[in-house]
Amino acid sequence: MQTILIPVDFSDHSVSTYKFAIKIVGTVNETRLYFLHSYNDQLLIPDSGLSSGFDNDVFMNMQLIEEFKQLAKNNMKQLKKEVEDYIKAEKLNNFKVNTMVSGGDPGWEITDASKDIHPDFIVMGTQGIGKKGILEGSMAKKIMNKADVPVIAVPSGEYDHDNLRIMYASNNHEKDFVKIKLLFKLFENLPFKIFTVHFHFEGSSHDNSNQLNDLKEAFSAERISKQINFSLIDTNNKDNALEAFVEHNNINVIAFIAHKSNIFKSLFRPTITKKDFFKLGLPMIALHE
């Protein structure tokens, strides 16, 4: 049984998100979809200047929060029906839809829900209502840093799930082997190919080559079946090199290990960060350290 957590804000983008989640699961595994929405439950008390106005302000805010809560529940009920209708139309019988509505900070609510239900992965959008909603890129980055499961961030749009071409950005991390294995597991029910690439900026290219050769040997069977290939690219311009690789190989999904930010490290040598991947406007898979 698989479990997927899908945070939503009820924007049109939520449709892209749940469709992406359903497509990558396929028709084989029994899967529970947990949809989560967090509404604002913070009291906003203006300075009325009169102590007698405090109780009225609190009462009005409590009423407003209750309205947020009821609206969220109604929207979630509508979304659940929409998802179930989509599953039925696609003739899928391996999905069960669950919903959760909670008040609070979306970042905390998402991470808390993840700890409670232990999803195999989280699928979320990279922009919300008005393109500046709670699930914009900054929220996705925050969850990528906090979550201890893979986080798939999906921009709005339609994607070719029948021909996934996944770029795995290797940085010679000791867990590259484990993370590539995880990608094979995540997409086992879909046709895909993994393009493992290391962008070399400085240091010993010989060492980089040796570490990449170790990965090649570890995945020799997958290389023979043409499910994976490996590239080492020397460059002084990370933006151009990244965009050129994506375009040349028709990449439509980006995968990487979501390291914690290290501003001192990036000041002294060029690195590829989550910000660079977000610029590409493609679905991303952040694999936790």
Side-chain angles (χ1 to χ4, degrees):
M1 173 73 76
Q2 274 195 125
T3 300
I4 303 175
L5 176 60
I6 309 176
V8 294
D9 63 359
F10 308 124
S11 66
D12 292 340
H13 192 184
S14 297
V15 177
S16 301
T17 307
Y18 77 69
K19 284 186 178 180
F20 193 93
I22 289 171
K23 288 293 186 181
I24 64 174
V25 169
T27 61
V28 178
N29 297 322
E30 293 292 323
T31 302
R32 294 175 298 188
L33 302 175
Y34 278 90
F35 289 87
L36 168 67
H37 176 76
S38 300
Y39 60 89
N40 181 17
D41 66 351
Q42 301 302 305
L43 289 174
L44 302 175
I45 308 298
D47 183 6
S48 63
L50 298 172
S51 59
S52 61
F54 182 80
D55 289 341
N56 287 336
D57 291 336
V58 171
F59 178 73
M60 291 179 65
N61 275 277
M62 292 298 291
Q63 280 189 317
L64 187 60
I65 291 172
E66 184 61 28
E67 290 177 10
F68 287 155
K69 181 179 179 180
Q70 291 303 318
L71 179 62
K73 286 185 175 182
N74 292 338
N75 286 338
M76 186 63 84
K77 183 178 180 181
Q78 182 177 340
L79 178 64
K80 182 179 181 182
K81 183 180 184 306
E82 178 183 332
V83 175
E84 289 176 337
D85 287 346
Y86 175 77
I87 291 171
K88 184 177 180 180
E90 294 293 310
K91 295 182 170 60
L92 303 172
N93 56 15
N94 57 313
F95 290 94
K96 182 177 180 180
V97 180
N98 303 271
T99 62
M100 297 179 289
V101 173
S102 63
D105 175 79
W108 287 110
E109 294 300 317
I110 293 169
T111 52
D112 285 348
S114 180
K115 292 175 183 176
D116 288 340
I117 68 175
H118 306 290
D120 293 275
F121 54 93
I122 299 169
V123 181
M124 60 189 299
T126 57
Q127 61 188 41
I129 296 173
K131 298 187 178 181
K132 293 218 179 265
I134 62 170
L135 300 183
E136 59 183 318
S138 59
M139 179 58 66
K141 292 175 190 173
K142 183 184 295 186
I143 302 305
M144 287 175 179
N145 287 336
K146 287 185 175 183
D148 57 2
V149 297
V151 177
I152 302 178
V154 185
S156 181
E158 297 291 332
Y159 302 99
D160 184 5
H161 303 89
D162 297 324
N163 183 29
L164 293 180
R165 298 172 69 83
I166 306 165
M167 184 191 87
Y168 175 73
S170 164
N171 60 358
N172 290 333
H173 193 277
E174 60 183 4
K175 294 185 178 179
D176 277 342
F177 172 79
V178 174
K179 300 311 178 185
I180 294 172
K181 278 287 189 182
L182 179 56
L183 290 175
F184 273 93
K185 178 65 177 176
L186 283 176
F187 296 104
E188 63 183 349
N189 297 319
L190 292 173
F192 69 91
K193 183 172 182 176
I194 297 175
F195 296 78
T196 302
V197 57
H198 177 77
F199 293 97
H200 166 68
F201 298 106
E202 61 179 25
S204 173
S205 60
H206 178 69
D207 289 343
N208 292 332
S209 180
N210 285 342
Q211 292 181 41
L212 207 60
N213 284 335
D214 289 341
L215 280 176
K216 287 182 181 180
E217 184 175 346
F219 289 97
S220 57
E222 290 82 358
R223 288 179 64 211
I224 292 173
S225 65
K226 297 185 178 180
Q227 282 187 288
I228 189 170
N229 67 15
F230 297 85
S231 302
L232 175 62
I233 297 177
D234 287 295
T235 181
N236 292 319
N237 189 318
K238 64 177 181 178
D239 291 333
N240 288 348
L242 190 56
E243 291 177 8
F245 186 88
V246 167
E247 182 177 354
H248 178 73
N249 294 287
N250 297 317
I251 300 297
N252 51 23
V253 177
I254 308 292
F256 56 91
I257 296 178
H259 300 286
K260 302 296 183 184
S261 299
N262 188 333
I263 187 171
F264 298 104
K265 187 177 180 181
S266 61
L267 282 174
F268 294 104
R269 66 183 179 89
T271 58
I272 294 180
T273 66
K274 290 186 286 291
K275 183 178 180 180
D276 298 308
F277 296 130
F278 270 81
K279 289 179 183 177
L280 298 171
L282 295 172
M284 291 164 288
I285 307 169
L287 306 168
H288 65 92
E289 290 187 89

